[in-house]
Amino acid sequence: MRVKISEEGSNQPSYSTWDKINNGVPQRSVLGPLLFLIYVNDLPRTVNEKTVPILFADDTSIIVKSSKLKDFQNNMTMTFNCVNKWFKVNLLSINVDKTHCLQFKTKNKPTCNINIVCNDNLVTALPKIKFLGIYIQDSINWSRHIDYITPKLSSACYARRSIKPVMSLNTLKTIYYSCCNAIISYG
């Protein structure tokens, strides 16, 4: 493999030296995302039927649920061990710094201590997580997400108000649906 560099206004591109790639593909390659999706396609089958794996691009989330604390702990441990084993077999590694646990709590049932260990590191339990652009809190409360989208909505409303005198109603509706309504309805 080698890199081609084309400078604007130049008819002659520059090339790096040839180098062998043993595994993987170069960053920003066209094939990278497609090959990655094919590569991780069987990951959801490694977890048991009591979990719900969610794959989106290169993010993997797994929902584990149980009404009994002991079953929950066992399912979490077993699921994490299966996923960790799949990663190792497929020559991948889990980024422990980006691996977190969110345990939902209610007023009637407080959280319990769950210790999940990955490569001798404790997986961090967080009170809130940003999941595909939506803030989810352990208290099943949307206040953090509302705080996140309020400035976006404020900016979109200001921009819409500023152009209102010079735009037609149809154009303003289009702007509303593409800017304001998209923020409100996502998630």
Side-chain angles (χ1 to χ4, degrees):
M1 184 215 57
R2 67 179 178 172
V3 177
K4 176 182 172 183
I5 303 169
S6 300
E7 292 187 39
E8 206 170 300
S10 172
N11 291 339
Q12 290 293 91
S14 299
Y15 296 93
S16 69
T17 59
W18 284 97
D19 201 7
K20 184 179 179 182
I21 297 177
N22 294 324
N23 55 20
V25 294
Q27 287 281 333
R28 302 190 205 320
S29 71
V30 176
L31 279 177
L34 176 63
L35 291 174
F36 179 78
L37 291 174
I38 293 169
Y39 194 67
V40 300
N41 190 40
D42 66 329
L43 175 60
R45 287 191 289 262
T46 64
V47 296
N48 65 28
E49 67 282 343
K50 296 177 184 177
T51 61
V52 180
I54 300 169
L55 276 65
F56 183 82
D58 63 345
D59 286 338
T60 303
S61 298
I62 300 175
I63 298 171
V64 179
K65 57 184 177 180
S66 180
S67 58
K68 296 179 182 173
L69 179 59
K70 187 171 178 137
D71 291 343
F72 181 71
Q73 178 72 45
N74 289 339
N75 287 341
M76 286 286 294
T77 303
M78 186 174 64
T79 300
F80 199 83
N81 288 338
C82 289
V83 169
N84 204 17
K85 182 180 175 185
W86 183 93
F87 268 72
K88 286 179 181 176
V89 165
N90 287 281
L91 304 175
L92 295 171
S93 61
I94 294 176
N95 185 344
V96 180
D97 294 333
K98 292 184 174 182
T99 302
H100 307 290
C101 174
L102 176 72
Q103 184 183 163
F104 294 109
K105 62 183 178 185
T106 62
K107 291 176 184 174
N108 300 341
K109 290 189 177 183
T111 59
C112 53
N113 283 336
I114 296 175
N115 295 319
I116 303 168
V117 178
C118 175
N119 303 329
D120 298 326
N121 295 306
L122 190 64
V123 173
T124 310
L126 298 177
K128 64 180 176 287
I129 289 179
K130 189 174 183 184
F131 178 68
L132 301 177
I134 299 171
Y135 280 93
I136 301 173
Q137 293 173 243
D138 61 358
S139 60
I140 313 172
N141 178 317
W142 296 106
S143 61
R144 175 63 183 98
H145 187 67
I146 291 168
D147 291 343
Y148 172 69
I149 67 170
T150 300
K152 290 181 170 191
L153 280 172
S154 181
S155 296
C157 288
Y158 175 77
R160 196 173 147 272
R161 252 190 334 271
S162 298
I163 62 171
K164 184 178 179 181
V166 294
M167 295 289 171
S168 70
L169 182 60
N170 283 339
T171 303
L172 289 172
K173 282 182 182 178
T174 301
I175 292 169
Y176 166 78
Y177 281 109
S178 63
C179 295
C180 301
N181 192 50
I183 293 169
I184 294 168
S185 63
Y186 177 71

